[in-house]
Amino acid sequence: MNNEMHPLLTIGMIFKNDIRCLERCLKALEPLRRALSCELVMADTGSVDGSREIAERYADVIFDFPWKDDFSAARNAVMSRASGKWYLTVDTDEYLDEDISELTAFLKSAGKQQKKVCSLIQRNYASQEMNGLYADFPVIRLLLMSTGLRYEGIIHERWPITPQQLPKVHLLSRTIFHHDGYAESDSEQIKAKRKRNLKLLKEALDKEPENMTALLQYVESSRQEKNHPEIVRRALAAIENKWTGWQILGAPILRHAVRAARERNMPELQEWIEQAETQFPSSFFTRIDVEYIAFSYDWDEKHYVSCIQRGEKCLSALSDYRNGKGNHNELMYSSLLMSAPYWEQGLKIFLADAYLRTGNSGKCAEILATLNWALFDATQTENFMRVLRELHSMSTQDTAPILLQFWEGIGRPLPDKESAQKRLDAFHRAAALAFTAQNQKTEKEQKGFCRLSYTLFQPLADSCEAGRGAAVLESKDIREIHDILTGVENWKAFPCEALSYALSLGVPFPLENQTLKLEEMDLLIGSMAADKEAFYTLLWRTAKETSQGSLQKLAWLRGLALAAIQIYEWNSKEISDTDAGMSLARLFAWTEREFISNYYRPELLCKENIWALPPLHRLGWYCAQAFQALDGGDPAQYVKNLRSGLNSCQEGKAMIEHLLKHTPQLQKKEVPAELSALAEQIRALLSTFPADSPEVKALKASPAYQKVAELIENK
C-alpha cells in the first residue's frame, strides 16, 4: 500500500481454504496495486490449508471472521475496514486480466466524473484449461465508498442496485476477471460448493418465497439435481404470477427452462421456446441462448430450413451483443450460456452444413471460409472437417482455398502448442475417415455425388500425410508413388488404404533407407488388416518376396504373419480349407524363427532360457520347434511343443487347437489289433513302475515300445 492516509482504492476479499487459486489471484492484482494508491483487505473465514500464510504475504489488513453461512456478513466486515475512496471486491477463484488500462484510467479520472457504481466483466470458464469455453457476465464490483451501499443476501450476495438504477451503472467492458470457480462441474470440490449454495438458497427462499432473484439463482444452482424440473416449473409459475422482478428475471429463467427441457427430453420444450420468443423477444437470453438451443434441436430433427432461420437470428443477436446494442443491463442478473466465440464457431459449422443439406453449397463454403480456426478444439476440428468433406463430395465448389487456410490456421500455437497439436491430431483422425472403403462406397451411393472426399486433400500433398495419401491413390506410377512414400514423416497419420494400394501395385516396402520402428509397423499392419481379403493377398506376396532380405523386411513380414494369425477365423465352421490354416501357421513359425534368431542372442534360444522372451516370441519359437519335429517324423514331439507354446502364450490358443485338430499326422488311423493289444500291455507294464525309474527308461528304449509309442503318448 502506498503511504497515503486514504488510498484511492481498497481491494476487498474473503477466503477460506483456497490454496488452489489464492496466490494466482493475488499475484494478478500486483500490477494494479503498483499503478494506483491501493490497500488490500482480506478476511479469513476459517482456513486450515495454508491459505492464511499466502494471504499474509500480500494483504495490508488481514483478520479472522468466523463463518456464519452468510456471505454478505463476511463481505461487509471487509468493507467496514476499508479506507479507500473506491472499493473493488474480488473473489479468490478469479484473477484480473493483465490489461488494466481501462480500470486505472477510470479511477485516476473518476473525480471528474459522476459515476458512482461500475460493473466489469467476469469471464466464467467451463473447464480448468480456461480455453474458449466461457461466458462473459457483467458484474457490479466497483463503487464509491461514499454511496454507503453494503451487501445483501446470504448467498450470491450483491449490492442493492434496483433495475431502475442499472442504467446509471458504468460498464468497464475491457476490465476482465477470469473465473474458473465452477469449472469441471463433476469435481468433488465443485459438488460441495453447489451443495452449500443450494442449502443457503433454499433457506433464503424459505424466508422470502417470492424472492425472484433467489429463485433464479436456485434454478441455476440446481441444474445437476434430480428435482431440477420441479424447480424450473416453480420459477415459471412465478413469471406467470408476475412476482416482483419478473420483467427482467423472466427471460433468464425461461432460458434455463428451455435448456432443461432440451437436456432432459421434457415435453414442454417447444412450448417454452415459444413462450420465451413471445414474452421476451428482445432479450439476449431469448435471442442468443434460446435460439441456439432451438437451433440444435432443429438440427437433430433434420429441420434444416428452420435450423437456418434460427441460426441466422442467433448470429445477428451475437453481433448486436458484441457491438453494444440492445439491453445489456439484464445481463447483470445472469450470464449468457452461448455467447462465447467458441459457441459461435460451433453454430456456424452446423449452419454451413444445414445450407449444404438444403442445396446451397455456395453459402456453405462462404461460412466455412470465415471461421476462426484458432478457437477450435478437437471436436470442432472434426466437425468442420466432416462438413468440408461433404461439401467437396457433394458439389463442385473449389474447396482448396478453404482447406489450405484451415490447415495453416489450426497449426498455429494459439492459444498454445498443446491446443494446436490437439487440432492437428483431430484433423488426421477426420481425414482418415475419407479414405476408408466403406466411406467411398457410401459417398458413391449418395444422391448428388460429385467426387470422392479423399481427393479434397490433394492440395496438401507436400504438407501432410492425408495429402500424400490422396496423391498416392490418384497415381498409377510405381516410381511416383515410391517417391511420395519417401516423404512420409508420420506413418501413424498416413492413410493405411493408400499404403495398401501402393503395395498392391508392387511398391517395395519397407522403403530402403527409411527405418521403421516395430510399433510403427504394427500400427500400419493393424490398420490394413481390416480388409482381410486384401491383407492375405499382401501377406503371401510379401512372403514370396522375403527370404533372406534385410531385418526390416523380415520384421515387416513377421508383423504381417502375426496379424494374420490373430484375425484368421480358426474356429469358424465355414473354414473347409485346412491347408490354408496349416500354411498360415507354418509361415508364422518360419518368420518367428528367422526373426528371433536375428534379434536375440543364440544362447537365449533354447528351452531352458526361452522364458526370457516376450510371450508371442515364445509362441513362435515353440511353433517352429513343433513343425521341425513334425517334419522329422515325430508327431508326439510336435504335440508337446504346441502345448508348451500354448502354455507360454494364451493368444495362440485358437491356432494351436486348430493345428491339433487338423494336422493330418495326428488324425486317428485304423490300428491293427495286434498293435493295440501290444500298446495296452506296455501301458499296463509302465503303470507298475515310477515314471523316473530305470525300468521305464529301458522299456521306452525297447523296439517293442517304439512300434506303439505314438499310440501310447497321444492317447
Side-chain angles (χ1 to χ4, degrees):
M1 180 178 72
N2 294 353
N3 295 321
E4 298 181 14
M5 187 65 68
H6 295 290
L8 176 62
L9 177 68
T10 295
I11 303 172
M13 301 176 64
I14 63 174
F15 70 95
K16 178 181 179 181
N17 295 335
D18 290 313
I19 195 74
R20 175 188 74 85
C21 54
L22 181 58
E23 189 150 28
R24 178 188 68 179
C25 172
L26 296 175
K27 279 184 176 180
L29 292 171
E30 289 296 281
L32 178 63
R33 298 179 69 187
R34 289 193 295 267
L36 300 171
S37 171
C38 286
E39 68 172 353
L40 175 60
V41 180
M42 302 182 69
D44 183 357
T45 61
S47 297
V48 294
D49 67 344
S51 297
R52 178 62 174 258
E53 289 75 11
I54 293 174
E56 287 174 345
R57 297 202 300 267
Y58 292 87
D60 297 301
V61 177
I62 188 169
F63 63 96
D64 292 312
F65 185 83
W67 181 245
K68 53 183 71 173
D69 282 347
D70 189 332
F71 279 90
S72 287
R75 298 275 191 201
N76 291 332
V78 175
M79 290 191 75
S80 68
R81 288 167 172 78
S83 58
K85 181 178 181 181
W86 287 85
Y87 185 85
L88 173 67
T89 185
V90 179
D91 290 334
T92 59
D93 54 5
E94 63 189 13
Y95 64 90
L96 181 61
D97 190 82
E98 60 185 15
D99 182 3
I100 60 172
S101 58
E102 181 188 44
L103 177 59
T104 55
F106 173 82
L107 288 170
K108 287 178 179 179
S109 63
K112 304 174 185 178
Q113 303 180 30
Q114 300 300 315
K115 304 296 183 183
K116 296 182 179 181
V117 180
C118 296
S119 66
L120 46 81
I121 301 300
Q122 184 184 65
R123 181 160 289 174
N124 296 311
Y125 291 91
S127 70
Q128 294 291 348
E129 289 76 20
M130 302 184 79
N131 52 24
L133 282 165
Y134 64 80
D136 284 348
F137 182 24
V139 289
I140 299 174
R141 292 288 192 85
L142 180 68
L143 55 65
L144 273 172
M145 288 293 292
S146 60
T147 62
L149 292 174
R150 292 297 183 266
Y151 279 100
E152 295 180 357
I154 61 174
I155 181 70
H156 297 305
E157 66 288 356
R158 60 177 64 220
W159 290 312
I161 308 293
T162 66
Q164 293 75 22
Q165 295 171 318
L166 286 178
K168 295 182 180 181
V169 175
H170 180 61
L171 173 62
L172 299 173
S173 61
R174 292 186 290 107
T175 303
I176 300 172
F177 276 92
H178 302 276
H179 175 244
D180 68 351
Y182 288 93
E184 308 295 356
S185 61
D186 288 335
S187 72
E188 292 304 316
Q189 185 177 7
I190 299 303
K191 288 179 181 178
K193 185 184 290 189
R194 188 167 62 238
K195 184 177 180 180
R196 176 205 65 192
N197 290 353
L198 285 169
K199 174 179 176 291
L200 294 177
L201 286 167
K202 187 175 185 304
E203 291 174 358
L205 285 169
D206 287 343
K207 294 178 182 178
E208 298 181 79
E210 296 188 8
N211 185 328
M212 284 287 287
T213 300
L215 188 53
L216 168 61
Q217 294 166 354
Y218 197 32
V219 170
E220 291 175 335
S221 298
S222 66
R223 182 185 175 196
Q224 310 295 331
E225 304 302 308
K226 290 183 179 179
N227 66 335
H228 183 60
E230 288 72 27
I231 297 172
V232 165
R233 291 188 177 98
R234 175 181 173 183
L236 292 177
I239 298 174
E240 184 178 354
N241 293 322
K242 294 183 169 49
W243 289 0
T244 302
W246 75 273
Q247 297 96 330
I248 195 166
L249 301 180
I253 287 174
L254 262 168
R255 176 272 316 271
H256 283 302
V258 170
R259 178 170 69 170
R262 176 81 169 106
E263 292 176 342
R264 300 181 182 234
N265 296 316
M266 297 168 65
E268 297 96 337
L269 175 62
Q270 292 298 332
E271 175 190 341
W272 291 343
I273 290 173
E274 293 173 8
Q275 183 179 350
E277 292 173 333
T278 301
Q279 287 189 279
F280 307 100
S282 62
S283 168
F284 282 123
F285 293 109
T286 299
R287 297 178 62 205
I288 295 176
D289 288 347
V290 172
E291 288 296 344
Y292 200 113
I293 296 167
F295 168 87
S296 73
Y297 174 80
D298 284 342
W299 169 264
D300 287 347
E301 296 297 313
K302 298 182 171 57
H303 300 157
Y304 298 121
V305 173
S306 176
C307 190
I308 290 170
Q309 294 170 349
R310 292 192 181 281
E312 293 291 0
K313 287 168 63 177
C314 189
L315 290 177
S316 176
L318 284 167
S319 176
D320 288 347
Y321 166 73
R322 297 207 173 96
N323 291 320
K325 299 178 181 179
N327 179 16
H328 284 250
N329 291 331
E330 65 174 350
L331 303 179
M332 294 184 186
Y333 289 90
S334 184
S335 61
L336 290 168
L337 301 175
M338 317 306 297
S339 62
Y342 174 87
W343 295 116
E344 181 176 0
Q345 301 305 306
L347 183 146
K348 286 182 176 179
I349 292 172
F350 285 92
L351 179 60
D353 203 356
Y355 273 114
L356 179 61
R357 292 170 187 268
T358 54
N360 195 340
S361 61
K363 187 65 175 179
C364 173
E366 177 187 325
I367 294 174
L368 294 181
T370 63
L371 294 174
N372 186 349
W373 301 306
L375 294 176
F376 281 13
D377 62 2
T379 299
Q380 289 190 333
T381 299
E382 292 185 15
N383 285 335
F384 176 90
M385 287 302 304
R386 174 183 57 78
V387 179
L388 185 58
R389 281 174 34 222
E390 291 174 354
L391 174 65
H392 183 82
S393 175
M394 303 299 291
S395 76
T396 58
Q397 290 287 329
D398 183 7
T399 55
I402 302 175
L403 177 68
L404 291 170
Q405 292 177 33
F406 179 66
W407 172 251
E408 180 186 358
I410 63 172
R412 294 174 185 166
L414 298 172
D416 49 49
K417 290 182 179 180
E418 183 180 357
S419 298
Q421 189 57 55
K422 288 180 179 179
R423 290 193 294 265
L424 291 172
D425 291 342
F427 171 88
H428 290 305
R429 288 195 300 271
L433 297 174
F435 290 85
T436 65
Q438 181 58 48
N439 182 73
Q440 294 183 42
K441 179 177 181 294
T442 300
E443 288 178 344
K444 290 176 181 178
E445 293 173 350
Q446 284 183 335
K447 184 179 179 182
F449 167 74
C450 291
R451 50 195 168 174
L452 290 169
S453 64
Y454 77 76
T455 60
L456 164 71
F457 302 100
Q458 284 182 270
L460 297 177
D462 297 325
S463 306
C464 73
E465 311 311 351
R468 295 185 182 96
V472 165
L473 289 176
E474 289 299 294
S475 176
K476 295 182 180 179
D477 187 308
I478 293 179
R479 182 177 295 276
E480 180 184 31
I481 292 174
H482 179 275
D483 291 343
I484 295 171
L485 293 179
T486 59
V488 174
E489 299 174 355
N490 179 7
W491 285 105
K492 182 179 179 180
F494 188 78
C496 65
E497 294 81 6
L499 181 58
S500 295
Y501 170 75
L503 300 186
S504 71
L505 295 180
V507 176
F509 198 81
L511 303 172
E512 294 181 7
N513 303 320
Q514 189 182 78
T515 301
L516 280 180
K517 299 175 184 177
L518 281 177
E519 57 267 28
E520 290 178 312
M521 290 186 185
D522 290 343
L523 190 66
L524 286 171
I525 290 167
S527 299
M528 292 191 294
D531 185 348
K532 291 185 180 181
E533 184 176 349
F535 184 76
Y536 287 124
T537 301
L538 170 63
L539 169 68
W540 293 113
R541 185 174 63 249
T542 305
K544 277 185 184 179
E545 297 168 355
T546 305
S547 54
Q548 298 298 322
S550 67
L551 183 59
Q552 274 269 293
K553 291 188 179 295
L554 187 59
W556 176 252
L557 177 59
R558 175 254 171 193
L560 292 172
L562 177 59
I565 67 166
Q566 290 175 322
I567 66 172
Y568 190 77
E569 298 179 4
W570 297 101
N571 299 320
S572 174
K573 295 180 180 180
E574 298 177 3
I575 293 178
S576 57
D577 186 0
T578 56
D579 289 341
M582 180 65 71
S583 298
L584 181 56
R586 279 186 176 275
L587 177 61
F588 166 70
W590 180 85
T591 56
E592 280 292 324
R593 185 192 70 196
E594 294 297 311
F595 181 78
I596 62 178
S597 65
N598 282 277
Y599 194 75
Y600 295 104
R601 294 171 59 182
E603 54 266 32
L604 270 178
L605 304 180
C606 61
K607 189 174 182 180
E608 292 75 19
N609 297 328
I610 203 69
W611 58 267
L613 271 61
L616 286 168
H617 282 333
R618 293 201 298 269
L619 174 65
W621 185 85
Y622 276 114
C623 285
Q625 297 297 310
F627 282 114
Q628 185 177 358
L630 184 66
D631 295 340
D634 190 351
Q637 190 60 40
Y638 169 75
V639 171
K640 287 182 179 179
N641 279 314
L642 289 181
R643 287 175 176 162
S644 296
L646 177 58
N647 290 334
S648 70
C649 179
Q650 285 295 310
E651 285 187 61
K653 182 178 180 181
M655 179 182 69
I656 298 298
E657 290 179 347
H658 178 91
L659 294 176
L660 291 173
K661 183 177 180 180
H662 295 290
T663 301
Q665 291 89 327
L666 301 184
Q667 304 305 309
K668 289 186 178 181
K669 302 174 185 176
E670 196 162 327
V671 181
E674 59 271 18
L675 286 181
S676 294
L678 178 60
E680 287 299 325
Q681 291 174 5
I682 294 176
R683 191 178 292 111
L685 189 58
L686 287 171
S687 67
T688 62
F689 299 102
D692 57 351
S693 67
E695 290 83 0
V696 169
K697 186 175 181 181
L699 187 57
K700 287 187 175 183
S702 67
Y705 182 87
Q706 297 304 317
K707 288 183 180 181
V708 293
E710 185 177 345
L711 294 177
I712 295 173
E713 294 176 4
N714 289 338
K715 185 170 181 179

